[in-house]
PDB file of all heavy atoms in Angstrom:
ATOM      1  N   ASP A   1      96.904  -6.765  20.351  1.00 97.00           N
ATOM      2  CA  ASP A   1      95.942  -7.186  19.326  1.00 97.00           C
ATOM      3  C   ASP A   1      95.893  -8.720  19.287  1.00 97.00           C
ATOM      4  O   ASP A   1      96.873  -9.355  18.871  1.00 97.00           O
ATOM      5  CB  ASP A   1      96.392  -6.629  17.968  1.00 97.00           C
ATOM      6  CG  ASP A   1      95.400  -6.939  16.854  1.00 97.00           C
ATOM      7  OD1 ASP A   1      94.736  -7.988  16.902  1.00 97.00           O
ATOM      8  OD2 ASP A   1      95.328  -6.145  15.899  1.00 97.00           O
ATOM      9  N   PRO A   2      94.784  -9.346  19.690  1.00 98.00           N
ATOM     10  CA  PRO A   2      94.739 -10.814  19.780  1.00 98.00           C
ATOM     11  C   PRO A   2      94.790 -11.508  18.429  1.00 98.00           C
ATOM     12  O   PRO A   2      95.414 -12.564  18.287  1.00 98.00           O
ATOM     13  CB  PRO A   2      93.412 -11.080  20.494  1.00 98.00           C
ATOM     14  CG  PRO A   2      92.579  -9.865  20.225  1.00 98.00           C
ATOM     15  CD  PRO A   2      93.524  -8.723  20.144  1.00 98.00           C
ATOM     16  N   THR A   3      94.132 -10.935  17.431  1.00 98.00           N
ATOM     17  CA  THR A   3      94.133 -11.549  16.104  1.00 98.00           C
ATOM     18  C   THR A   3      95.535 -11.537  15.504  1.00 98.00           C
ATOM     19  O   THR A   3      95.997 -12.538  14.941  1.00 98.00           O
ATOM     20  CB  THR A   3      93.164 -10.800  15.166  1.00 98.00           C
ATOM     21  OG1 THR A   3      91.853 -10.815  15.743  1.00 98.00           O
ATOM     22  CG2 THR A   3      93.126 -11.456  13.796  1.00 98.00           C
ATOM     23  N   ALA A   4      96.194 -10.415  15.651  1.00 98.00           N
ATOM     24  CA  ALA A   4      97.541 -10.304  15.106  1.00 98.00           C
ATOM     25  C   ALA A   4      98.516 -11.225  15.832  1.00 98.00           C
ATOM     26  O   ALA A   4      99.399 -11.834  15.210  1.00 98.00           O
ATOM     27  CB  ALA A   4      98.022  -8.867  15.189  1.00 98.00           C
ATOM     28  N   LEU A   5      98.388 -11.338  17.156  1.00 98.00           N
ATOM     29  CA  LEU A   5      99.282 -12.218  17.899  1.00 98.00           C
ATOM     30  C   LEU A   5      99.055 -13.671  17.508  1.00 98.00           C
ATOM     31  O   LEU A   5     100.025 -14.429  17.350  1.00 98.00           O
ATOM     32  CB  LEU A   5      99.085 -12.041  19.401  1.00 98.00           C
ATOM     33  CG  LEU A   5     100.075 -12.833  20.276  1.00 98.00           C
ATOM     34  CD1 LEU A   5     101.512 -12.419  19.990  1.00 98.00           C
ATOM     35  CD2 LEU A   5      99.761 -12.659  21.759  1.00 98.00           C
ATOM     36  N   ARG A   6      97.811 -14.066  17.343  1.00 98.00           N
ATOM     37  CA  ARG A   6      97.525 -15.424  16.884  1.00 98.00           C
ATOM     38  C   ARG A   6      98.158 -15.673  15.522  1.00 98.00           C
ATOM     39  O   ARG A   6      98.762 -16.731  15.281  1.00 98.00           O
ATOM     40  CB  ARG A   6      96.008 -15.649  16.833  1.00 98.00           C
ATOM     41  CG  ARG A   6      95.567 -16.899  16.075  1.00 98.00           C
ATOM     42  CD  ARG A   6      96.259 -18.162  16.532  1.00 98.00           C
ATOM     43  NE  ARG A   6      95.847 -18.549  17.864  1.00 98.00           N
ATOM     44  CZ  ARG A   6      96.399 -19.550  18.550  1.00 98.00           C
ATOM     45  NH1 ARG A   6      97.426 -20.223  18.041  1.00 98.00           N
ATOM     46  NH2 ARG A   6      95.972 -19.851  19.759  1.00 98.00           N
ATOM     47  N   ARG A   7      98.074 -14.710  14.639  1.00 98.00           N
ATOM     48  CA  ARG A   7      98.673 -14.853  13.305  1.00 98.00           C
ATOM     49  C   ARG A   7     100.200 -14.981  13.419  1.00 98.00           C
ATOM     50  O   ARG A   7     100.810 -15.794  12.712  1.00 98.00           O
ATOM     51  CB  ARG A   7      98.288 -13.656  12.437  1.00 98.00           C
ATOM     52  CG  ARG A   7      98.772 -13.752  11.006  1.00 98.00           C
ATOM     53  CD  ARG A   7      98.073 -12.733  10.113  1.00 98.00           C
ATOM     54  NE  ARG A   7      98.226 -11.371  10.615  1.00 98.00           N
ATOM     55  CZ  ARG A   7      97.223 -10.637  11.098  1.00 98.00           C
ATOM     56  NH1 ARG A   7      95.999 -11.134  11.169  1.00 98.00           N
ATOM     57  NH2 ARG A   7      97.438  -9.398  11.529  1.00 98.00           N
ATOM     58  N   THR A   8     100.801 -14.203  14.298  1.00 98.00           N
ATOM     59  CA  THR A   8     102.247 -14.266  14.491  1.00 98.00           C
ATOM     60  C   THR A   8     102.670 -15.642  14.995  1.00 98.00           C
ATOM     61  O   THR A   8     103.642 -16.238  14.503  1.00 98.00           O
ATOM     62  CB  THR A   8     102.694 -13.189  15.500  1.00 98.00           C
ATOM     63  OG1 THR A   8     102.482 -11.903  14.935  1.00 98.00           O
ATOM     64  CG2 THR A   8     104.168 -13.339  15.864  1.00 98.00           C
ATOM     65  N   VAL A   9     101.952 -16.171  15.975  1.00 98.00           N
ATOM     66  CA  VAL A   9     102.273 -17.480  16.533  1.00 98.00           C
ATOM     67  C   VAL A   9     102.084 -18.573  15.491  1.00 98.00           C
ATOM     68  O   VAL A   9     102.940 -19.469  15.335  1.00 98.00           O
ATOM     69  CB  VAL A   9     101.415 -17.757  17.785  1.00 98.00           C
ATOM     70  CG1 VAL A   9     101.589 -19.203  18.250  1.00 98.00           C
ATOM     71  CG2 VAL A   9     101.778 -16.797  18.908  1.00 98.00           C
ATOM     72  N   ASP A  10     100.973 -18.523  14.746  1.00 98.00           N
ATOM     73  CA  ASP A  10     100.722 -19.552  13.738  1.00 98.00           C
ATOM     74  C   ASP A  10     101.775 -19.524  12.637  1.00 98.00           C
ATOM     75  O   ASP A  10     102.239 -20.583  12.180  1.00 98.00           O
ATOM     76  CB  ASP A  10      99.334 -19.355  13.127  1.00 98.00           C
ATOM     77  CG  ASP A  10      98.211 -19.701  14.099  1.00 98.00           C
ATOM     78  OD1 ASP A  10      98.505 -20.340  15.134  1.00 98.00           O
ATOM     79  OD2 ASP A  10      97.058 -19.317  13.838  1.00 98.00           O
ATOM     80  N   THR A  11     102.165 -18.331  12.213  1.00 97.00           N
ATOM     81  CA  THR A  11     103.197 -18.205  11.177  1.00 97.00           C
ATOM     82  C   THR A  11     104.521 -18.780  11.671  1.00 97.00           C
ATOM     83  O   THR A  11     105.223 -19.491  10.941  1.00 97.00           O
ATOM     84  CB  THR A  11     103.384 -16.722  10.791  1.00 97.00           C
ATOM     85  OG1 THR A  11     102.147 -16.215  10.277  1.00 97.00           O
ATOM     86  CG2 THR A  11     104.475 -16.574   9.741  1.00 97.00           C
ATOM     87  N   HIS A  12     104.851 -18.479  12.911  1.00 98.00           N
ATOM     88  CA  HIS A  12     106.084 -18.988  13.517  1.00 98.00           C
ATOM     89  C   HIS A  12     106.063 -20.507  13.581  1.00 98.00           C
ATOM     90  O   HIS A  12     107.037 -21.186  13.182  1.00 98.00           O
ATOM     91  CB  HIS A  12     106.217 -18.399  14.920  1.00 98.00           C
ATOM     92  CG  HIS A  12     107.297 -19.014  15.744  1.00 98.00           C
ATOM     93  ND1 HIS A  12     108.632 -18.739  15.554  1.00 98.00           N
ATOM     94  CD2 HIS A  12     107.238 -19.903  16.786  1.00 98.00           C
ATOM     95  CE1 HIS A  12     109.356 -19.414  16.418  1.00 98.00           C
ATOM     96  NE2 HIS A  12     108.533 -20.133  17.186  1.00 98.00           N
ATOM     97  N   ASN A  13     104.985 -21.080  14.059  1.00 98.00           N
ATOM     98  CA  ASN A  13     104.896 -22.531  14.224  1.00 98.00           C
ATOM     99  C   ASN A  13     104.876 -23.252  12.886  1.00 98.00           C
ATOM    100  O   ASN A  13     105.514 -24.309  12.729  1.00 98.00           O
ATOM    101  CB  ASN A  13     103.648 -22.889  15.029  1.00 98.00           C
ATOM    102  CG  ASN A  13     103.740 -22.432  16.478  1.00 98.00           C
ATOM    103  OD1 ASN A  13     104.820 -22.100  16.967  1.00 98.00           O
ATOM    104  ND2 ASN A  13     102.606 -22.403  17.162  1.00 98.00           N
ATOM    105  N   ARG A  14     104.156 -22.716  11.899  1.00 97.00           N
ATOM    106  CA  ARG A  14     104.095 -23.364  10.580  1.00 97.00           C
ATOM    107  C   ARG A  14     105.467 -23.381   9.914  1.00 97.00           C
ATOM    108  O   ARG A  14     105.826 -24.355   9.239  1.00 97.00           O
ATOM    109  CB  ARG A  14     103.072 -22.665   9.693  1.00 97.00           C
ATOM    110  CG  ARG A  14     101.621 -23.012  10.014  1.00 97.00           C
ATOM    111  CD  ARG A  14     100.694 -22.606   8.871  1.00 97.00           C
ATOM    112  NE  ARG A  14     100.678 -21.171   8.659  1.00 97.00           N
ATOM    113  CZ  ARG A  14      99.804 -20.336   9.213  1.00 97.00           C
ATOM    114  NH1 ARG A  14      98.864 -20.814  10.029  1.00 97.00           N
ATOM    115  NH2 ARG A  14      99.847 -19.046   8.962  1.00 97.00           N
ATOM    116  N   ALA A  15     106.223 -22.311  10.090  1.00 97.00           N
ATOM    117  CA  ALA A  15     107.560 -22.254   9.497  1.00 97.00           C
ATOM    118  C   ALA A  15     108.452 -23.351  10.079  1.00 97.00           C
ATOM    119  O   ALA A  15     109.226 -23.992   9.356  1.00 97.00           O
ATOM    120  CB  ALA A  15     108.179 -20.888   9.724  1.00 97.00           C
ATOM    121  N   ILE A  16     108.352 -23.575  11.373  1.00 97.00           N
ATOM    122  CA  ILE A  16     109.142 -24.641  12.007  1.00 97.00           C
ATOM    123  C   ILE A  16     108.700 -26.000  11.489  1.00 97.00           C
ATOM    124  O   ILE A  16     109.532 -26.851  11.116  1.00 97.00           O
ATOM    125  CB  ILE A  16     109.007 -24.569  13.537  1.00 97.00           C
ATOM    126  CG1 ILE A  16     109.653 -23.289  14.078  1.00 97.00           C
ATOM    127  CG2 ILE A  16     109.644 -25.799  14.192  1.00 97.00           C
ATOM    128  CD1 ILE A  16     109.452 -23.081  15.558  1.00 97.00           C
ATOM    129  N   ASP A  17     107.384 -26.223  11.431  1.00 97.00           N
ATOM    130  CA  ASP A  17     106.853 -27.512  10.964  1.00 97.00           C
ATOM    131  C   ASP A  17     107.269 -27.798   9.528  1.00 97.00           C
ATOM    132  O   ASP A  17     107.543 -28.951   9.166  1.00 97.00           O
ATOM    133  CB  ASP A  17     105.322 -27.520  11.068  1.00 97.00           C
ATOM    134  CG  ASP A  17     104.837 -27.514  12.516  1.00 97.00           C
ATOM    135  OD1 ASP A  17     105.646 -27.862  13.402  1.00 97.00           O
ATOM    136  OD2 ASP A  17     103.671 -27.143  12.754  1.00 97.00           O
ATOM    137  N   ALA A  18     107.331 -26.755   8.702  1.00 97.00           N
ATOM    138  CA  ALA A  18     107.657 -26.923   7.288  1.00 97.00           C
ATOM    139  C   ALA A  18     109.160 -26.904   7.021  1.00 97.00           C
ATOM    140  O   ALA A  18     109.587 -27.104   5.876  1.00 97.00           O
ATOM    141  CB  ALA A  18     106.972 -25.827   6.464  1.00 97.00           C
ATOM    142  N   GLY A  19     109.951 -26.660   8.059  1.00 96.00           N
ATOM    143  CA  GLY A  19     111.392 -26.618   7.869  1.00 96.00           C
ATOM    144  C   GLY A  19     111.882 -25.368   7.172  1.00 96.00           C
ATOM    145  O   GLY A  19     112.996 -25.355   6.620  1.00 96.00           O
ATOM    146  N   ARG A  20     111.084 -24.302   7.207  1.00 96.00           N
ATOM    147  CA  ARG A  20     111.498 -23.040   6.585  1.00 96.00           C
ATOM    148  C   ARG A  20     112.321 -22.214   7.568  1.00 96.00           C
ATOM    149  O   ARG A  20     112.107 -22.287   8.785  1.00 96.00           O
ATOM    150  CB  ARG A  20     110.277 -22.242   6.129  1.00 96.00           C
ATOM    151  CG  ARG A  20     109.467 -22.898   5.024  1.00 96.00           C
ATOM    152  CD  ARG A  20     108.483 -21.903   4.403  1.00 96.00           C
ATOM    153  NE  ARG A  20     107.546 -21.380   5.381  1.00 96.00           N
ATOM    154  CZ  ARG A  20     106.367 -21.944   5.672  1.00 96.00           C
ATOM    155  NH1 ARG A  20     106.004 -23.060   5.062  1.00 96.00           N
ATOM    156  NH2 ARG A  20     105.570 -21.394   6.568  1.00 96.00           N
ATOM    157  N   PRO A  21     113.249 -21.404   7.067  1.00 95.00           N
ATOM    158  CA  PRO A  21     114.061 -20.573   7.967  1.00 95.00           C
ATOM    159  C   PRO A  21     113.217 -19.516   8.659  1.00 95.00           C
ATOM    160  O   PRO A  21     112.179 -19.088   8.154  1.00 95.00           O
ATOM    161  CB  PRO A  21     115.097 -19.945   7.034  1.00 95.00           C
ATOM    162  CG  PRO A  21     114.464 -19.978   5.681  1.00 95.00           C
ATOM    163  CD  PRO A  21     113.634 -21.222   5.656  1.00 95.00           C
ATOM    164  N   ASP A  22     113.677 -19.099   9.810  1.00 95.00           N
ATOM    165  CA  ASP A  22     112.992 -18.058  10.553  1.00 95.00           C
ATOM    166  C   ASP A  22     113.101 -16.733   9.792  1.00 95.00           C
ATOM    167  O   ASP A  22     114.196 -16.372   9.332  1.00 95.00           O
ATOM    168  CB  ASP A  22     113.624 -17.903  11.932  1.00 95.00           C
ATOM    169  CG  ASP A  22     112.899 -16.884  12.783  1.00 95.00           C
ATOM    170  OD1 ASP A  22     111.828 -17.207  13.307  1.00 95.00           O
ATOM    171  OD2 ASP A  22     113.420 -15.752  12.910  1.00 95.00           O
ATOM    172  N   PRO A  23     112.006 -16.001   9.627  1.00 93.00           N
ATOM    173  CA  PRO A  23     112.068 -14.742   8.858  1.00 93.00           C
ATOM    174  C   PRO A  23     112.957 -13.683   9.493  1.00 93.00           C
ATOM    175  O   PRO A  23     113.414 -12.763   8.817  1.00 93.00           O
ATOM    176  CB  PRO A  23     110.605 -14.285   8.807  1.00 93.00           C
ATOM    177  CG  PRO A  23     109.930 -14.990   9.940  1.00 93.00           C
ATOM    178  CD  PRO A  23     110.631 -16.303  10.059  1.00 93.00           C
ATOM    179  N   PHE A  24     113.248 -13.793  10.778  1.00 94.00           N
ATOM    180  CA  PHE A  24     114.122 -12.831  11.444  1.00 94.00           C
ATOM    181  C   PHE A  24     115.542 -13.371  11.614  1.00 94.00           C
ATOM    182  O   PHE A  24     116.385 -12.713  12.210  1.00 94.00           O
ATOM    183  CB  PHE A  24     113.550 -12.430  12.803  1.00 94.00           C
ATOM    184  CG  PHE A  24     112.345 -11.537  12.700  1.00 94.00           C
ATOM    185  CD1 PHE A  24     111.077 -12.077  12.566  1.00 94.00           C
ATOM    186  CD2 PHE A  24     112.481 -10.156  12.726  1.00 94.00           C
ATOM    187  CE1 PHE A  24     109.955 -11.254  12.470  1.00 94.00           C
ATOM    188  CE2 PHE A  24     111.372  -9.327  12.621  1.00 94.00           C
ATOM    189  CZ  PHE A  24     110.106  -9.881  12.488  1.00 94.00           C
ATOM    190  N   GLY A  25     115.768 -14.587  11.101  1.00 92.00           N
ATOM    191  CA  GLY A  25     117.111 -15.147  11.128  1.00 92.00           C
ATOM    192  C   GLY A  25     117.467 -15.920  12.375  1.00 92.00           C
ATOM    193  O   GLY A  25     118.636 -16.263  12.571  1.00 92.00           O
ATOM    194  N   LYS A  26     116.497 -16.213  13.236  1.00 94.00           N
ATOM    195  CA  LYS A  26     116.825 -16.960  14.452  1.00 94.00           C
ATOM    196  C   LYS A  26     117.373 -18.335  14.078  1.00 94.00           C
ATOM    197  O   LYS A  26     116.796 -19.041  13.245  1.00 94.00           O
ATOM    198  CB  LYS A  26     115.596 -17.110  15.343  1.00 94.00           C
ATOM    199  CG  LYS A  26     115.885 -17.851  16.650  1.00 94.00           C
ATOM    200  CD  LYS A  26     114.624 -18.114  17.459  1.00 94.00           C
ATOM    201  CE  LYS A  26     114.117 -16.871  18.141  1.00 94.00           C
ATOM    202  NZ  LYS A  26     113.018 -17.176  19.099  1.00 94.00           N
ATOM    203  N   PRO A  27     118.485 -18.760  14.701  1.00 93.00           N
ATOM    204  CA  PRO A  27     119.067 -20.071  14.391  1.00 93.00           C
ATOM    205  C   PRO A  27     118.089 -21.203  14.709  1.00 93.00           C
ATOM    206  O   PRO A  27     117.324 -21.143  15.676  1.00 93.00           O
ATOM    207  CB  PRO A  27     120.296 -20.134  15.301  1.00 93.00           C
ATOM    208  CG  PRO A  27     120.613 -18.714  15.628  1.00 93.00           C
ATOM    209  CD  PRO A  27     119.301 -17.997  15.658  1.00 93.00           C
ATOM    210  N   ASP A  28     118.139 -22.247  13.898  1.00 94.00           N
ATOM    211  CA  ASP A  28     117.211 -23.369  14.072  1.00 94.00           C
ATOM    212  C   ASP A  28     117.348 -24.013  15.443  1.00 94.00           C
ATOM    213  O   ASP A  28     116.362 -24.497  16.018  1.00 94.00           O
ATOM    214  CB  ASP A  28     117.454 -24.424  12.982  1.00 94.00           C
ATOM    215  CG  ASP A  28     116.996 -23.957  11.608  1.00 94.00           C
ATOM    216  OD1 ASP A  28     116.189 -23.003  11.548  1.00 94.00           O
ATOM    217  OD2 ASP A  28     117.455 -24.530  10.598  1.00 94.00           O
TER     218      ASP A  28
END
């Protein structure tokens, strides 16, 4: 699903940019 994958990537990247922890617990 391209829309869902784009959303997953954007959520992942925004969390890193904002300094938020990974929702799955991946170490920084």
